Amino acid sequence: MVTETIRDDAERKQVTVLFADVSGSMDLAEQQDPEEWRKIMQRFFSILAAAVTKFEGTVDKFTGDGIMAVFGAPVAHEDHARRACYAALQMLDDVSDYAAELRRGPGLNFSTRIGINSGEVVAGAIGQGGEGEYTAIGHTVGLAQRMEALAEPGKAYVTEHTAELAAGFLDLDDLGEFEIKGASQPVGVFELAGIGRARSRLDLARSRGFTRFVGRSREMEALRAALADAEAGHGGVVGLVAEPGIGKSRLCHEFVQHCRADGLEVFEAQAQAHGTSIPFMPVLQMLRAFFGIGEREPEQASREKIAGRALLLDPDFAAELPLLFDFLGVPDPQRPVPQMSPDARQRALGDVVCRLVNAPTRHKTLVLLIEDLHWIDGGSSAMLAELIDSIEGTNTLVVVNFRPEHEPPWSGSGAYREIPLRPLDREDTRALLQDLAGQDPSLDGLDESIHERTQGNPFFIEEIVRELVEAEHLVGERGSYRLARPIEGAGVPATVQAVLAARIDRLDPDAKQLLQVASVVGKEVSGQALGMTAGIDAEQIEPVLRDLIAAGFLYEAELYPERVLAFRHPLTREVAYGTQLADRRTATHAAAARALIELEPERHEELAALIAEHLREGGETRDAARWSARAAYWAGHSRPRDSLRLWQTVSELAGELEEDEETVALAINSRLLQLQYAWRVGMGSEEQARLAAEVEQIATRHNDLHSRALLRVATSVRPGLRHEAKAWLAAVAETVALADETEDPHLQVAVRAAGAYAYLCTADFDGYERMLDEVLELAQGDRSVGAGVILASPTAWATMGKGMVRRERGQYEEAEELFERALQLTAEEDDPETASWVRSNQAGLRAVRGDTEGALAIARRNCELTERLGDVFSRSLALANLAWAQIAAEEYEDALAAIEEAERLYREGMDNGGEMEAWRMQMRAQALLGVGRTEEAIGVAGDAVEISRERGMLWAYPIANLVLARGLDAAGREGVFEALDEGERIAVETQALSLLKDIRAERDRLAASDSITA
Ligand SMILES: Nc1ncnc2c1ncn2[C@@H]1O[C@H](COP(=O)(O)OP(=O)(O)O)[C@@H](O)[C@H]1O
Ligand SMILES: [Mg+2]
């Protein structure tokens, strides 16, 4: 089945669809003999078909009284919308000529209506076994047909979608919005009125207002050097080569501006995408410019201008004038051109052009610019070659530009210099963006991501900004936008899509298919994985890859130890991805997952998330859930944000599967683990409650003790809740009992380690130590027991906790040693999270011991390391301990900033101040005291006392009282000794000996100063 869908070569494509029919055909047919009518219709069809063919569209079908044509499929054209419009204008013209004939003849009132729309279709063969007719299907088609039905006789209507792509190149009259049957939104409709002023994308950019010209100084330098050579009599050709949108035209434009400013003569011509089949367009354009012939110049006047200028240059041109007149479309009826073969005629013309350009009487330097040489027709190309052949020794500079896939026939000529244009670098991209979007602070980082996506292609940059504005990601005025919504999820602009799809379609079918497969596998793929996914063996894939590399789609990002191919352009990947049918993509994703699993057995852990993603996209939900869980375990506590996200994915996937033993386990565990990460990185309380309820429901239904214990941890034992001592300790006891009931040592250890924290916060240091000793005993020296269930390494955590108790007891050396050992364990267990907590406590210990330098150093380093974890709980803790060190060092301003940030982080993540609220408050009070905001300090210290007493979080109680006493004393207020007494009482009761010493020292100090003042 898989292979069958892969073989279906239908594709999603951006195209323009055109419908044309006879208006009122029923009535007309009635007036005619059927045979006559058939002849009329046949002639009509052939007029329509000719116009379609001329602009390289495809007649999709005959509709009975008209046709449906598609532009941009099977082969994509980047200007599909323009082509359709040109074809429509041609049809209107030709049909109106024919209608005149019919009016004169059978007296019929014949006219056509045309409707045009652009957008995505699925194009491919349809019919039995996928072998039928090639056709385009989709809403885009229906809307085009509605446009036709809406159009008045003799008119062509286009939708806003086509208008967006064709604006500027065509003249469009806005008819306003229409309610269209089958379209949910009103559709903007335009009447096609004629050819527009713009000939190139650059014209369009100019009409919108150019962005500031950035970079390109080296290239400009080279152009000027070539100009100087030409002025010195060494004429030549310069070719600027780059992919579409890199800025060839713009650079040329800036250069010729400079030339004109210097008073030089410049003539420009432009080859057109739809013009390869229209001979001599660029040469004619150039000659008209040369002779100064305007678009609507009368014939006689044109001839006068041609003759005048040619004869002035060289009287010998008299003989060639008839030929020139004829070529420029203004034949002189008095002097017909002599009969000659087309070849001879072309040679003669080429000769005339060369002589005109290089006429010896013309001493002034001449600059000829030909744009988009890759689209040049054969006739013009031959003439240009002739010109270049004789350019040496003249004052002529020819500047051309073209895309890398083109190679001009004269590229070996000594007069030729090639300048490859590179994409804009980061700096230039930033400058361009500033000009387009401005410098609002909300745009910070936008340049990076846009550079990333566009790879410095200025056309893509401009279009993406326009798209962001249109989709209201950016709001405001050009040059001063603000970011209103994050830019993720913004699509590829239709204009860019058209250019890239056309490039992809020019590849041969094998290369194109491999590129599509690669786009599914990833932005970087190993050659081997790509081959296996595509089902192509090593030898076969090699030449195809070489093509893709040569054509600039892929590059070799790495060669050793393995060849890795990467997309040169992220947007190409998006487009290649988007052109495939969903079925085919699904199959490819699944194949990619299997290839990775098979080829990279050593990197399964690391690749698990990617494999899971492919499996999910590949529709293999159960395997996707398994691999996501594996990836989540691997991310573990060292990347809590990734873990949370991956567990969310597992929950989603498990929910899509039928309930069985495995899926129930996945459903429960993924939720429990989300809740675990909730207190680390933060999660709204509603979301938490929802998860808890879901676990409860599933666990009860399956009578799962294990899960209920872990749920209890998540809902009432873990940190980050607004704990009350009594309830908290009760919950811990209950959960420990539940865990013991399971007789699973892992769970017993894990629950005790997590629950122990409640004793610390409530200042039951003995209880705390007892629980930690149980952790160590149950683990029996095996560090893997209970590891990762809630905390990454319970042994390290217990060792640290015992150090905390020593610190509270004033046994600093022992505390120091235990912390050191705990840190060692975290390193061995690869547990950056616990390591962060240990360092936080180490810093606090140093602060208590008066080693302020040491405290600051450890605390600063810890903040840095913890930042990488992305864990709100740990970052807040690290900052609070930094504040502690800063207070010890009397850096009060910094301390205040640090503790306020710690508070903000915590509250943002947890919805409440958690069990350490009072502790952080007393720290803030100390900082406030330090900066002299005494009254505030007293208020905050008082609140800290209140909160810790009310909730029974007595660990913070003595210190909060001590700080309150200091504040009251500083303010000369009453109650100093009461506060000290209160602190002392609890310090004695809880045996917080370290603080007890401080409190008593404070009292002695105050008593001494009292007796002095007394
Ligand atoms: N150096 C540049 N500085 C500012 N804008 C540029 C620069 N180069 C190109 N652009 C803009 O990018 C768009 C695409 O450039 P263009 O010259 O049309 O590309 P190309 O001719 O290579 O397809 C244009 O709108 C142009 O104004
Ligand atoms: Mg260009």
Side-chain angles (χ1 to χ4, degrees):
M1 191 218 113
V2 166
T3 42
E4 199 158 296
T5 45
I6 285 202
R7 210 180 295 134
D8 183 352
D9 53 10
E11 288 185 298
R12 289 172 175 276
K13 297 208 120 156
Q14 296 286 333
V15 300
T16 298
V17 180
L18 177 153
F19 277 88
D21 72 352
V22 180
S23 52
S25 61
M26 284 278 274
D27 298 347
L28 287 169
E30 205 183 6
Q31 301 166 29
Q32 288 294 312
D33 175 75
E35 247 179 74
E36 274 308 304
W37 180 242
R38 182 165 179 275
K39 274 192 202 145
I40 291 172
M41 284 310 283
Q42 257 175 344
R43 174 82 184 277
F44 175 62
F45 285 142
S46 72
I47 289 173
L48 300 183
V52 172
T53 312
K54 178 166 176 192
F55 294 96
E56 295 177 278
T58 315
V59 176
D60 187 283
K61 60 164 101 31
F62 290 95
T63 58
D65 59 356
I67 60 164
M68 167 185 161
V70 179
F71 295 82
V75 172
H77 291 298
E78 61 187 66
D79 54 349
H80 52 83
R82 282 156 67 188
R83 285 172 193 254
C85 292
Y86 292 139
L89 289 173
Q90 180 95 54
M91 287 173 187
L92 292 177
D93 256 9
D94 294 352
V95 172
S96 107
D97 287 351
Y98 182 47
E101 210 176 288
L102 288 176
R103 237 187 331 271
R104 283 193 302 269
L108 276 183
N109 213 351
F110 190 93
S111 65
T112 179
R113 320 173 289 178
I114 301 175
I116 298 178
N117 181 36
S118 305
E120 190 176 70
V121 296
V122 171
I126 203 159
Q128 262 179 344
E131 305 217 321
E133 301 268 301
Y134 185 91
T135 186
I137 291 179
H139 182 62
T140 300
V141 178
L143 199 52
Q145 197 162 19
R146 299 256 185 253
M147 285 301 112
E148 177 201 62
L150 193 67
E152 283 180 31
K155 306 234 145 116
Y157 283 9
V158 313
T159 63
E160 58 193 30
H161 310 297
T162 303
E164 193 188 329
L165 292 165
F169 297 104
L170 287 132
D171 213 354
L172 300 170
D173 291 342
D174 192 346
L175 303 179
E177 295 203 326
F178 285 71
E179 294 286 345
I180 306 286
K181 218 174 101 199
S184 55
Q185 305 267 330
V187 178
V189 178
F190 295 79
E191 185 191 326
L192 187 56
I195 302 281
R197 299 182 64 86
R199 280 169 190 269
S200 69
R201 215 163 43 218
L202 199 72
D203 292 340
L204 211 59
R206 184 184 350 229
S207 70
R208 287 191 185 121
F210 271 150
T211 41
R212 189 163 70 82
F213 186 61
V214 302
R216 303 294 185 221
S217 47
R218 245 173 15 88
E219 293 84 353
M220 196 56 115
E221 206 57 45
L223 282 167
R224 287 188 183 167
L227 180 65
D229 285 348
E231 285 178 321
H234 306 290
V237 196
V238 178
L240 296 160
V241 190
E243 283 167 18
I246 294 289
K248 302 179 293 293
S249 303
R250 181 64 188 272
L251 175 59
C252 290
H253 166 82
E254 299 291 328
F255 174 66
V256 300
Q257 289 285 89
H258 162 87
C259 295
R260 289 201 171 104
D262 282 358
L264 299 179
E265 269 193 306
V266 180
F267 300 112
E268 298 177 46
Q270 161 101 48
Q272 297 278 348
H274 52 270
T276 28
S277 46
I278 307 170
F280 298 112
M281 221 164 56
V283 178
L284 287 169
Q285 224 181 329
M286 182 91 57
L287 286 176
R288 288 205 182 96
F290 186 84
F291 293 114
I293 306 174
E295 238 166 73
R296 294 195 169 68
E297 193 91 39
E299 295 202 356
Q300 183 58 32
S302 300
R303 284 196 292 272
E304 276 161 16
K305 282 186 173 171
I306 298 167
R309 176 131 203 212
L311 297 178
L312 197 65
L313 281 171
D314 184 350
D316 285 355
F317 275 124
E320 274 85 19
L321 283 180
L323 187 64
L324 267 176
F325 292 157
D326 189 59
F327 186 53
L328 283 160
V330 286
D332 185 352
Q334 317 293 314
R335 300 170 62 188
V337 188
Q339 281 294 325
M340 53 177 130
S341 75
D343 263 3
R345 184 180 131 99
Q346 188 169 324
R347 265 197 311 279
L349 272 169
D351 186 51
V352 174
V353 170
C354 285
R355 278 169 53 211
L356 278 172
V357 171
N358 297 326
T361 47
R362 189 179 54 75
H363 298 296
K364 257 170 78 181
T365 308
L366 187 68
V367 179
L368 302 181
L369 169 61
I370 305 173
E371 292 233 53
D372 293 327
L373 205 64
H374 45 275
W375 282 323
I376 201 166
D377 63 287
S380 302
S381 176
M383 256 184 218
L384 182 62
E386 211 170 314
L387 176 69
I388 287 167
D389 217 24
S390 59
I391 205 165
E392 267 169 16
T394 68
N395 292 105
T396 306
L397 173 64
V398 176
V399 179
V400 299
N401 62 47
F402 53 89
R403 299 179 179 176
E405 62 264 23
H406 181 75
E407 168 137 18
W410 31 261
S411 59
S413 152
Y416 176 56
R417 284 199 48 199
E418 191 161 295
I419 308 178
L421 266 192
R422 264 181 280 282
L424 300 182
D425 61 20
R426 256 169 215 286
E427 271 312 304
D428 292 339
T429 301
R430 183 169 310 140
L432 183 59
L433 259 177
Q434 269 182 11
D435 189 66
L436 280 169
Q439 306 197 38
D440 191 84
S442 65
L443 303 180
D444 282 356
L446 188 69
D447 51 345
E448 306 269 306
S449 71
I450 289 195
H451 187 82
E452 178 78 14
R453 245 184 123 207
T454 60
Q455 297 290 303
N457 182 314
F459 168 57
F460 295 172
I461 297 172
E462 291 177 348
E463 293 300 304
I464 282 193
V465 169
R466 259 163 32 88
E467 179 86 6
L468 291 175
V469 171
E470 244 147 61
E472 291 171 1
H473 290 279
L474 293 177
V475 294
E477 294 289 309
R478 175 167 166 167
S480 58
Y481 291 115
R482 264 178 318 100
L483 192 66
R485 294 193 282 133
I487 65 164
E488 281 108 62
V492 183
T495 43
V496 174
Q497 161 100 27
V499 171
L500 293 175
R503 279 198 71 203
I504 294 172
D505 271 1
R506 277 196 297 273
L507 289 167
D508 69 43
D510 282 349
K512 178 168 156 183
Q513 178 154 359
L514 193 63
L515 189 75
Q516 288 176 329
V517 171
S519 75
V520 174
V521 182
K523 69 175 184 244
E524 293 198 346
V525 291
S526 83
Q528 235 186 335
L530 180 57
M532 184 176 270
T533 309
I536 307 178
D537 58 38
E539 286 125 59
Q540 282 175 307
I541 203 172
E542 204 37 53
V544 187
L545 276 181
R546 261 203 309 275
D547 280 355
L548 287 172
I549 292 168
F553 286 99
L554 301 177
Y555 68 95
E556 288 168 315
E558 275 170 42
L559 282 172
Y560 189 83
E562 195 185 7
R563 184 169 183 208
V564 173
L565 297 144
F567 273 83
R568 193 169 281 285
H569 214 295
L571 291 170
T572 321
R573 180 177 168 226
E574 284 176 50
V575 171
Y577 190 84
T579 53
Q580 301 170 65
L581 296 190
D583 276 354
R584 190 159 130 199
R585 265 194 317 235
T586 304
T588 311
H589 273 295
R594 282 192 297 274
L596 289 174
I597 293 171
E598 190 173 327
L599 290 172
E600 308 272 6
E602 273 100 56
R603 293 171 63 212
H604 277 180
E605 303 296 336
E606 179 190 334
L607 294 176
L610 179 63
I611 292 172
E613 193 57 40
H614 278 309
L615 288 166
R616 182 180 201 175
E617 294 292 333
E620 300 189 7
T621 312
R622 181 177 293 264
D623 280 340
R626 290 179 183 147
W627 280 89
S628 299
R630 195 163 171 179
Y633 274 123
W634 193 65
H637 300 316
S638 25
R639 285 182 288 128
R641 273 179 202 283
D642 290 346
S643 310
L644 178 59
R645 186 179 47 75
L646 285 160
W647 286 122
Q648 277 163 346
T649 308
V650 175
S651 296
E652 279 165 32
L653 290 168
E656 290 170 22
L657 290 163
E658 245 176 69
E659 208 167 88
D660 59 27
E661 205 177 315
E662 183 185 23
T663 56
V664 167
L666 284 170
I668 292 181
N669 287 334
S670 59
R671 286 175 175 79
L672 285 172
L673 283 152
Q674 283 182 60
L675 285 168
Q676 281 215 25
Y677 290 104
W679 63 261
R680 291 175 159 105
V681 303
M683 185 189 280
S685 42
E686 254 170 54
E687 169 87 356
Q688 292 185 30
R690 182 182 62 78
L691 285 167
E694 286 169 4
V695 177
E696 180 77 57
Q697 198 241 342
I698 311 174
T700 316
R701 195 146 42 88
H702 293 269
N703 195 20
D704 176 353
L705 217 57
H706 212 277
S707 307
R708 280 178 33 224
L710 284 172
L711 180 61
R712 207 58 224 266
V713 172
T715 54
S716 33
V717 171
R718 68 172 176 88
L721 297 171
R722 198 178 176 283
H723 285 298
E724 308 272 344
K726 243 202 192 135
W728 194 8
L729 291 168
V732 171
E734 219 178 284
T735 316
V736 167
L738 258 179
D740 287 346
E741 224 179 299
T742 66
E743 295 181 8
D744 172 359
H746 290 288
L747 195 63
Q748 290 174 289
V749 163
V751 165
R752 278 177 174 78
Y757 184 54
Y759 292 91
L760 176 67
C761 293
T762 53
D764 179 354
F765 301 118
D766 289 335
Y768 181 47
E769 189 154 19
R770 227 174 9 252
M771 191 72 98
L772 295 177
D773 283 333
E774 283 176 30
V775 167
L776 296 172
E777 273 158 34
L778 281 163
Q780 292 181 324
D782 180 353
R783 286 186 226 154
S784 71
V785 176
V789 179
I790 299 166
L791 300 166
S793 36
T795 310
W797 158 258
T799 309
M800 175 191 83
K802 289 171 73 76
M804 299 288 284
V805 176
R806 300 281 84 74
R807 189 177 83 190
E808 295 308 314
R809 302 282 196 239
Q811 296 159 328
Y812 300 138
E813 283 304 327
E814 284 101 321
E816 203 85 65
E817 261 168 48
L818 282 160
F819 285 163
E820 210 38 64
R821 202 157 86 226
L823 203 57
Q824 181 65 32
L825 286 168
T826 62
E828 286 167 20
E829 298 299 304
D830 195 11
D831 173 9
E833 184 184 54
T834 310
S836 161
W837 302 338
V838 177
R839 281 190 305 264
S840 277
N841 290 322
Q842 270 182 323
L845 173 61
R846 295 293 172 86
V848 170
R849 301 185 74 185
D851 172 11
T852 49
E853 281 312 308
L856 280 172
I858 296 173
R860 286 210 184 98
R861 177 85 186 121
N862 190 40
C863 284
E864 219 174 277
L865 290 169
T866 308
E867 198 59 40
R868 289 183 211 156
L869 269 178
D871 170 333
V872 169
F873 180 83
S874 304
R875 272 153 71 209
S876 173
L877 187 69
L879 275 167
N881 279 285
L882 174 64
W884 193 349
Q886 286 163 331
I887 288 165
E890 298 183 6
E891 295 172 1
Y892 298 114
E893 291 285 354
D894 292 349
L896 190 59
I899 195 67
E900 279 174 354
E901 178 63 7
E903 189 65 34
R904 190 192 63 77
L905 269 178
Y906 200 100
R907 283 192 177 273
E908 238 171 49
M910 314 289 170
D911 282 358
N912 74 87
E915 67 288 340
M916 299 283 278
E917 190 170 8
W919 183 72
R920 285 193 307 273
M921 282 174 101
Q922 62 79 20
M923 197 88 78
R924 190 148 74 86
Q926 291 193 52
L928 286 168
L929 255 178
V931 299
R933 286 155 65 177
T934 313
E935 283 305 320
E936 272 176 83
I938 294 171
V940 174
D943 289 347
V945 169
E946 250 340 273
I947 287 178
S948 58
R949 183 181 45 221
E950 235 172 54
R951 302 187 191 161
M953 298 297 124
L954 292 184
W955 191 22
Y957 191 74
I959 178 84
N961 275 295
L962 176 57
V963 177
L964 177 62
R966 285 182 182 149
L968 291 171
D969 177 50
R973 279 169 47 177
E974 308 260 287
V976 177
F977 288 97
E978 286 82 345
L980 288 176
D981 287 347
E982 188 59 11
E984 182 169 358
R985 186 173 67 81
I986 296 297
V988 170
E989 203 178 295
T990 61
Q991 287 296 289
L993 300 180
S994 170
L995 263 170
L996 186 61
K997 210 169 84 211
D998 290 351
I999 292 172
R1000 287 186 173 152
E1002 185 76 7
R1003 191 205 305 283
D1004 292 348
R1005 194 180 62 75
L1006 288 174
S1009 64
D1010 258 11
S1011 59
I1012 292 167
T1013 46

